[in-house]
């Protein structure tokens, strides 16, 4: 804190009660100045020698034969008038960052110019401001805070603009030149914690963080903070991410509960204004703020019922960098009156914003070069799509626990990222399984519809093992999982061809897997869309275990086989897969029409498909047999 003392005489200004001030001298006072409820008993000469306004007021009072002057509108009130009076008497006056603006405005009101007397109060205060206050980082911030109660005087005297320029300049200076004190409690530097390294016993020069100024500006009121940030942005020196960090720190400081997704305090209007201001101040650059902060800001905007334009702007920004979000960030509670726990409609809109940015970029400039596409913020990379697909899978797994979540909303959100590249569908399988677990009462058609979302070919070995034992999946899906696991094992063990399948088996595989149409009867469709029995799951689990053992054995053989035996191995593997599919009673259902004879089913896994015969009757769910 910088101080300036004016005058050399001790403070002889005394009080008589609460509302009377007088100068304790041997001379009788000849004028009374009333400032509000307080009366000052003074002498004309020292006052008139410094203040042009008091000269006019005294002259007017003499014309009316009155020795009392009433002043109602002096900036700062009695306290600042007392400072001016002390200066006129040559008494000691102490100026600091807290009272200097008030004294400057009062001196302007009393017209204490150089034309009235050399070295007058206005001149001395201006010297103090320029040589001391505006050169100090923290004093400039304190002075800026005091200007609000002194409007419009502080604005007209350009004290506010000079404070803004001083603060913005210091915030934009190179960190190597920062040699003043500042507050930085969010994350201490190693040197500030006493943990910095030494070299030959000499302490290394302390490094100033790029956002060293953020904490101190958080003390400003919202309107003043807004003006400082606008001035900083206008200078164009500080990067967008640092400005965004400042807004994040300011919001956390000014909105209690913001980090927890709640708004504390009763002043809703003030909080709403703050959120709108932060949204408006965000730099246009994509890197200006982390996605988690933007999502919290959007959540606060919804809770405070801010304007729709601000919400749309936040959603657009979040959509641009949705791949940075986490599942926890997206778990935003649904508005009051909704049946679901989380706002899945909002997340769907955010994913739509993510998808739309690429479509918008392609529409605006369809013929741009590859180099331009890379630079264009609307271009979405495959890596970003993979992250967003994984994010949506994780989010669906969480919201699937909500018993009130409609199947249509689950499927709509999942289908929005269905075309995104996914190296694995394990996350989607987990979400589907969670939904089936929490919504066990859904119909066969709904169960079939939700299972169509995942690609069984993209399940990991662990997910396949879980799916084969999953009693919640339709039997059709369980068989698909086992089939593709068999195909994968055949390929990995040296076979490169796909086993030949009849049209009936192809009907159970996902559309497009083999390009065939369905030919099974209606009863067969219903049978395979139902959930499997425990005996069937046990049998399928045994088939998968057998498959893995065979795969390991074949892998050992193939590791020593030569290239000439590869073709023969492919034929043997394909034949065994076909035999395995044909031999078991569970798979014989695939091509039964009306009846079948269980005694004609073969148990030889190497037998050709033609040797398997069955009647044409479709068995009911209660007549299923377990596999041995």
């Amino acid at each position: 804190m910088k101080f300036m003392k004016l005058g050399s005489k001790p403070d002889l200004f005394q009080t008589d009660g609460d509302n009377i001030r007088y100068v304790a001298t041997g001379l009788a006072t000849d004028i009374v100045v009333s400032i509000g409820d307080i009366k000052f008993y003074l002498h004309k000469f020292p006052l008139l020698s410094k203040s042009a306004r008091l000269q006019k007021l005294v002259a007017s009072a003499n014309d009316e034969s009155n020795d009392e002057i009433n002043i109602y509108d002096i900036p700062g009130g009695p306290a600042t008038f007392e400072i001016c009076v002390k200066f006129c008497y040559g008494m000691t006056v102490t100026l600091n960052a807290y009272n200097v603006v008030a004294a400057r405005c009062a001196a302007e009101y009393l017209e204490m110019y150089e034309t009235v007397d050399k070295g007058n109060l206005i001149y001395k205060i201006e010297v103090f401001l320029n040589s001391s206050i505006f050169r100090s980082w923290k004093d400039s911030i304190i002075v800026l805070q005091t200007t609000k109660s002194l409007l419009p005087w502080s604005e007209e005297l350009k004290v506010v603009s000079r404070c803004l320029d001083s603060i913005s300049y210091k915030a934009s200076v190179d960190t190597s030149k920062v040699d003043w004190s500042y507050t930085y409690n969010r994350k201490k530097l190693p040197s500030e914690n006493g943990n910095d390294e030494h070299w030959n016993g000499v302490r290394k020069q302390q490094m100033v963080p790029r956002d060293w100024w953020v904490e101190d500006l958080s003390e400003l009121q919202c309107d003043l903070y807004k003006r400082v940030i606008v001035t900083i942005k206008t200078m164009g020196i500080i990067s967008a991410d640092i400005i965004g960090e400042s807004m994040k720190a300011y919001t956390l400081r000014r909105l209690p509960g913001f980090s927890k997704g709640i708004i504390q305090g009763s002043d809703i209007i003030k909080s709403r204004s703050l959120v709108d201001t932060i949204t408006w101040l965000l730099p246009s650059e994509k890197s200006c703020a982390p996605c988690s902060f933007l999502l919290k800001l959007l959540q606060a905007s919804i809770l405070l019922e801010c304007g729709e334009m601000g919400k749309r702007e936040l959603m657009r920004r979040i959509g641009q960098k949705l791949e940075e979000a986490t599942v926890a960030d997206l778990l935003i509670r649904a508005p009051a009156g909704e049946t679901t726990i989380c706002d899945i409609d909002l997340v769907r809109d955010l994913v739509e914003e993510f998808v739309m940015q690429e479509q918008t970029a392609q529409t605006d400039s369809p013929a741009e070069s590859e180099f331009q596409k890379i630079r264009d913020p609307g271009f979405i990379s495959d890596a970003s799509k993979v992250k967003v697909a994984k994010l949506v899978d994780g989010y669906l797994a969480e919201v699937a626990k909500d018993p009130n979540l409609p199947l249509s909303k689950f499927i709509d959100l999942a289908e929005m990222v269905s075309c995104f590249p996914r190296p694995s569908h394990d996350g989607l399988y987990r979400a589907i399984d969670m939904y089936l677990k929490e919504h066990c009462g859904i119909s066969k058609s709904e169960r079939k519809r939700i299972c169509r979302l995942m690609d069984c070919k993209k399940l990991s070995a662990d997910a396949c093992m879980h799916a084969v034992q999953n009693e919640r999946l339709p039997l059709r899906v369980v068989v698909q999982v086992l089939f593709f696991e068999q195909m994968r094992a055949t390929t990995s063990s040296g076979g490169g061809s796909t086993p030949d399948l009849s049209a009936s088996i192809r009907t159970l595989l996902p559309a497009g897997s083999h390009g065939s149409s369905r030919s099974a009867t209606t009863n067969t469709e219903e049978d395979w869309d139902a959930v499997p029995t425990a005996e069937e799951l046990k049998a399928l689990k045994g088939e998968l275990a057998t498959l893995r053992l065979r795969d390991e054995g074949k892998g050992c053989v193939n590791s020593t086989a030569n290239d000439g035996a590869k073709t023969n191995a492919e034929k043997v593997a394909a034949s065994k897969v076909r035999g395995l599919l044909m031999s078991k009673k569970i798979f014989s259902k695939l091509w039964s029409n009306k009846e079948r004879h269980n005694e004609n089913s073969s148990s030889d896994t190497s037998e050709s498909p033609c040797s398997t015969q069955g009647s044409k009757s479709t068995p009911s769910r209660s007549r299923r047999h377990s596999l041995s």
Side-chain angles (χ1 to χ4, degrees):
M1 178 72 68
K2 302 296 179 63
F3 298 90
M4 182 179 76
K5 291 187 177 182
L6 304 177
S8 56
K9 296 180 181 179
D11 189 357
L12 301 179
F13 215 74
Q14 299 181 6
T15 62
D16 185 3
D18 295 333
N19 300 325
I20 296 178
R21 306 284 189 275
Y22 65 95
V23 180
T25 63
L27 299 174
T29 59
D30 53 8
I31 186 173
V32 178
V33 180
S34 296
I35 309 293
D37 295 334
I38 298 179
K39 294 182 181 295
F40 292 86
Y41 290 83
L42 307 169
H43 304 87
K44 293 180 181 179
F45 176 75
L47 299 180
L48 303 185
S49 64
K50 301 287 185 180
S51 170
R53 190 181 187 96
L54 287 177
Q55 292 176 8
K56 301 172 189 175
L57 292 174
V58 169
S60 177
N62 290 337
D63 293 341
E64 298 175 359
S65 299
N66 187 2
D67 60 353
E68 184 172 344
I69 300 172
N70 293 302
I71 298 177
Y72 302 100
D73 54 351
I74 184 171
T80 54
F81 180 75
E82 184 173 332
I83 291 175
C84 296
V85 169
K86 287 182 177 180
F87 176 80
C88 293
Y89 276 90
M91 297 179 181
T92 301
V93 176
T94 302
L95 296 179
N96 54 46
Y98 292 99
N99 64 9
V100 65
V101 177
R104 174 66 181 88
C105 295
E108 186 71 23
Y109 177 89
L110 295 174
E111 300 176 9
M112 302 176 74
Y113 304 129
E114 288 296 286
T115 54
V116 179
D117 185 47
K118 291 294 182 181
N120 213 340
L121 183 57
I122 290 178
Y123 169 78
K124 290 186 178 295
I125 291 178
E126 284 295 329
V127 170
F128 179 53
L129 286 171
N130 295 325
S131 64
S132 181
I133 294 296
F134 293 142
R135 291 189 178 186
S136 168
W137 165 251
K138 290 193 173 182
D139 283 351
S140 296
I141 295 175
I142 293 172
V143 167
L144 181 60
Q145 290 174 302
T146 65
T147 59
K148 191 170 183 179
S149 62
L150 296 165
L151 295 173
W153 287 91
S154 58
E155 201 69 77
E156 294 173 357
L157 296 176
K158 300 187 183 303
V159 177
V160 176
S161 61
R162 286 186 286 171
C163 282
L164 295 174
D165 291 340
S166 171
I167 294 170
S168 302
Y169 170 77
K170 288 179 175 61
S172 303
V173 77
D174 189 276
T175 55
S176 62
K177 298 179 180 179
V178 176
D179 56 0
W180 49 80
S181 69
Y182 54 86
T183 306
Y184 197 80
N185 292 327
R186 291 170 299 116
K187 184 179 179 181
K188 290 290 187 180
L189 295 173
S191 57
E192 293 173 320
N193 290 329
N195 298 326
D196 58 334
E197 298 179 359
H198 294 72
W199 183 73
N200 290 339
V202 178
R203 182 182 294 271
K204 289 185 177 181
Q205 184 179 2
Q206 177 177 322
M207 298 297 294
V208 177
R210 292 193 306 156
D211 58 345
W212 61 267
W213 50 273
V214 165
E215 193 109 17
D216 289 322
L217 292 192
S218 297
E219 298 299 323
L220 293 172
Q221 294 183 1
C222 186
D223 55 340
L224 294 176
Y225 176 79
K226 176 181 177 180
R227 296 185 65 174
V228 172
I229 294 299
V230 169
T231 307
I232 289 176
K233 290 170 66 176
T234 302
M235 297 180 69
I237 298 176
I238 299 180
S239 62
D241 61 318
I242 300 300
I243 296 176
E245 180 64 24
S246 173
M247 295 186 203
K248 178 182 176 182
Y250 186 84
T251 307
L252 291 171
R253 169 73 172 78
R254 291 285 171 171
L255 279 183
F258 176 81
S259 60
K260 299 178 181 179
I262 58 176
I263 302 298
Q264 298 175 348
S266 58
D267 197 341
I268 301 298
I269 296 177
K270 184 177 180 180
S271 299
R272 183 184 299 142
S273 175
L274 188 149
V275 171
D276 285 337
T277 298
I278 296 298
T279 302
W280 183 83
L281 282 174
L282 286 170
S284 59
E285 289 83 352
K286 183 178 178 180
S287 61
C288 69
C291 191
S292 59
F293 170 67
L294 295 177
L295 280 162
K296 284 285 187 285
L297 200 61
L298 175 61
Q299 189 173 0
S301 180
I302 295 172
L303 290 174
L304 294 169
E305 299 180 351
C306 296
E308 286 299 321
M309 289 186 63
K311 294 178 187 177
R312 294 306 308 174
E313 174 63 17
L314 288 172
M315 292 179 67
R316 184 188 67 82
R317 288 176 175 273
I318 294 169
Q320 288 181 346
K321 52 197 310 178
L322 188 59
E323 68 273 12
E324 298 179 9
T326 64
V327 173
D329 294 333
L330 296 181
L331 295 177
I332 299 174
R333 293 192 67 85
E338 294 288 334
T339 57
T340 57
I341 299 175
C342 294
D343 195 344
I344 191 170
D345 292 329
L346 177 63
V347 175
R348 187 188 184 283
D349 291 340
L350 294 176
V351 176
E352 186 176 11
E353 288 287 345
F354 176 82
V355 175
M356 286 296 295
Q357 62 178 314
E358 186 171 50
Q359 297 176 1
T360 303
Q362 292 173 352
T363 304
D364 294 341
S365 51
E368 62 185 359
S369 65
E370 290 298 323
F371 177 70
Q372 288 174 323
K373 285 183 180 180
I374 294 175
R375 295 179 59 190
D376 193 337
F379 177 75
I380 307 177
S381 65
D382 285 345
S384 295
K385 293 180 181 179
V386 169
K387 291 180 181 178
V388 171
K390 183 178 180 181
L391 175 68
V392 171
D393 291 347
Y395 176 78
L396 287 173
E398 290 298 322
V399 297
K401 302 173 185 177
D402 184 356
N404 296 322
L405 178 66
L407 178 66
S408 58
K409 291 190 176 184
F410 183 99
I411 292 178
D412 286 347
L413 181 56
E415 287 180 341
M416 291 192 70
V417 295
S418 60
C419 60
F420 286 9
R422 274 191 182 99
S424 171
H425 273 212
D426 285 11
L428 183 57
Y429 167 68
R430 177 174 174 268
I432 293 172
D433 182 50
M434 187 62 66
Y435 190 89
L436 294 177
K437 180 180 180 181
E438 296 294 331
H439 303 77
C440 54
I442 64 175
S443 64
K444 291 181 181 180
S445 60
E446 290 175 328
R447 198 178 298 269
K448 179 179 178 181
R449 185 182 173 196
I450 192 174
C451 288
R452 281 177 178 171
L453 293 171
M454 67 176 174
D455 186 350
C456 298
K457 295 191 297 293
K458 292 187 177 182
L459 295 180
S460 66
D462 290 338
C464 286
M465 178 62 75
H466 186 277
V468 170
Q469 305 173 67
N470 195 339
E471 298 180 358
R472 292 181 287 272
L473 296 178
L475 186 58
R476 176 190 300 270
V477 176
V478 177
V479 173
Q480 287 175 12
V481 171
L482 182 58
F483 169 77
F484 288 121
E485 183 71 7
Q486 290 170 338
M487 279 211 329
R488 184 189 310 170
T490 302
T491 304
S492 63
S493 62
S497 60
T498 302
D500 295 331
L501 300 173
S502 68
S504 299
I505 293 182
R506 296 176 199 174
T507 62
L508 293 177
L509 302 180
S513 297
H514 296 279
S516 63
S517 62
R518 294 179 175 172
S519 61
T521 64
T522 302
N523 290 337
T524 302
E525 288 288 332
E526 293 178 356
D527 195 42
W528 283 97
D529 288 336
V531 294
T533 62
E535 291 79 5
E536 290 168 344
L537 285 176
K538 182 179 179 181
L540 291 173
K541 179 181 177 182
E543 296 295 345
L544 189 57
T546 302
L547 171 68
R548 290 189 173 182
L549 290 175
R550 290 177 179 175
D551 183 34
E552 292 174 1
K554 291 179 181 180
C556 296
V557 174
N558 286 336
S559 64
T560 58
N562 55 29
D563 295 338
K566 184 176 181 181
T567 303
N568 185 51
E570 291 175 356
K571 294 180 179 179
V572 172
S575 176
K576 288 188 175 183
V577 170
R578 289 195 299 269
L580 181 61
L581 287 171
M582 299 290 292
S583 61
K584 298 300 181 181
K585 296 176 184 178
I586 184 69
F587 293 109
S588 67
K589 294 180 182 180
L590 302 176
W591 34 61
S592 61
N593 294 323
K594 301 276 186 183
E595 299 176 349
R596 70 177 181 181
H597 299 289
N598 294 329
E599 63 273 11
N600 292 332
S601 299
S602 172
S603 60
D604 186 0
T605 58
S606 63
E607 186 177 337
S608 66
C610 298
S611 63
T612 303
Q613 298 179 359
S615 64
K616 295 185 178 181
S617 64
T618 303
S620 64
R621 295 285 300 165
S622 61
R623 294 175 56 195
R624 285 189 178 157
H625 298 276
S626 62
L627 300 182
S628 55

